Short mmCIF file of all heavy atoms in Angstrom, two decimals:
data_model
loop_
_atom_site.label_atom_id
_atom_site.label_comp_id
_atom_site.label_asym_id
_atom_site.label_seq_id
_atom_site.Cartn_x
_atom_site.Cartn_y
_atom_site.Cartn_z
N THR A 230 -26.06 10.46 2.65
CA THR A 230 -26.26 11.83 1.99
C THR A 230 -27.44 12.47 2.50
O THR A 230 -27.48 13.69 2.84
CB THR A 230 -26.27 11.59 0.52
OG1 THR A 230 -25.09 10.99 0.07
CG2 THR A 230 -26.51 12.97 -0.20
N LEU A 231 -28.59 11.78 2.49
CA LEU A 231 -29.87 12.37 2.94
C LEU A 231 -29.79 12.80 4.41
O LEU A 231 -30.36 13.74 4.77
CB LEU A 231 -31.03 11.34 2.78
CG LEU A 231 -31.30 11.01 1.28
CD1 LEU A 231 -32.38 9.93 1.27
CD2 LEU A 231 -31.81 12.24 0.51
N ILE A 233 -27.14 13.78 6.07
CA ILE A 233 -26.39 14.95 6.22
C ILE A 233 -27.15 16.18 5.69
O ILE A 233 -27.14 17.28 6.27
CB ILE A 233 -25.00 14.81 5.45
CG1 ILE A 233 -24.14 13.83 6.08
CG2 ILE A 233 -24.30 16.17 5.28
CD1 ILE A 233 -22.85 13.47 5.34
N GLU A 234 -27.79 16.03 4.58
CA GLU A 234 -28.66 17.12 4.05
C GLU A 234 -29.69 17.49 5.04
O GLU A 234 -30.01 18.76 5.25
CB GLU A 234 -29.30 16.71 2.73
CG GLU A 234 -28.29 16.66 1.60
CD GLU A 234 -28.97 16.27 0.23
OE1 GLU A 234 -30.13 15.71 0.36
OE2 GLU A 234 -28.36 16.45 -0.81
N SER A 235 -30.33 16.60 5.71
CA SER A 235 -31.36 16.85 6.65
C SER A 235 -30.83 17.60 7.85
O SER A 235 -31.45 18.51 8.38
CB SER A 235 -32.08 15.54 7.10
OG SER A 235 -33.02 15.77 8.13
N ARG A 236 -29.72 17.16 8.31
CA ARG A 236 -29.14 17.74 9.56
C ARG A 236 -28.49 19.10 9.37
O ARG A 236 -28.60 19.95 10.12
CB ARG A 236 -28.03 16.80 10.15
CG ARG A 236 -27.37 17.22 11.31
CD ARG A 236 -28.30 17.60 12.51
NE ARG A 236 -29.06 16.43 12.94
CZ ARG A 236 -28.69 15.61 13.84
NH1 ARG A 236 -27.53 15.74 14.53
NH2 ARG A 236 -29.39 14.64 14.22
N THR A 237 -27.94 19.33 8.16
CA THR A 237 -27.21 20.57 7.93
C THR A 237 -28.03 21.60 7.00
O THR A 237 -27.63 22.81 7.05
CB THR A 237 -25.92 20.28 7.23
OG1 THR A 237 -26.14 19.75 5.91
CG2 THR A 237 -25.05 19.31 8.01
N GLY A 238 -28.93 21.16 6.28
CA GLY A 238 -29.60 22.03 5.27
C GLY A 238 -28.80 22.21 4.02
O GLY A 238 -29.20 23.01 3.14
N LEU A 239 -27.60 21.64 3.99
CA LEU A 239 -26.79 21.66 2.76
C LEU A 239 -27.26 20.67 1.70
O LEU A 239 -28.01 19.74 2.01
CB LEU A 239 -25.37 21.40 3.10
CG LEU A 239 -24.70 22.37 4.14
CD1 LEU A 239 -23.29 21.84 4.49
CD2 LEU A 239 -24.58 23.73 3.59
N ARG A 240 -26.89 20.98 0.51
CA ARG A 240 -27.23 20.02 -0.59
C ARG A 240 -25.97 19.36 -1.11
O ARG A 240 -24.94 20.00 -1.28
CB ARG A 240 -27.95 20.82 -1.68
CG ARG A 240 -29.24 21.40 -1.29
CD ARG A 240 -30.37 20.42 -1.07
NE ARG A 240 -30.65 19.60 -2.18
CZ ARG A 240 -31.48 18.55 -2.11
NH1 ARG A 240 -32.03 18.15 -1.01
NH2 ARG A 240 -31.75 17.86 -3.23
N SER A 241 -26.11 18.11 -1.43
CA SER A 241 -24.95 17.41 -2.01
C SER A 241 -24.61 17.98 -3.42
O SER A 241 -25.46 18.31 -4.14
CB SER A 241 -25.29 15.92 -2.20
OG SER A 241 -24.33 15.29 -2.97
N LYS A 242 -23.26 18.02 -3.65
CA LYS A 242 -22.88 18.52 -5.01
C LYS A 242 -23.13 17.50 -6.09
O LYS A 242 -23.17 17.82 -7.26
CB LYS A 242 -21.40 18.83 -4.98
CG LYS A 242 -20.95 19.93 -4.06
CD LYS A 242 -19.52 20.12 -4.02
CE LYS A 242 -19.05 21.18 -3.00
NZ LYS A 242 -17.55 21.31 -2.91
#
Side-chain angles (χ1 to χ4, degrees):
T230 299
L231 293 175
I233 292 173
E234 288 181 342
S235 175
R236 178 57 61 91
T237 65
L239 299 173
R240 298 292 297 175
S241 168
K242 296 177 182 178

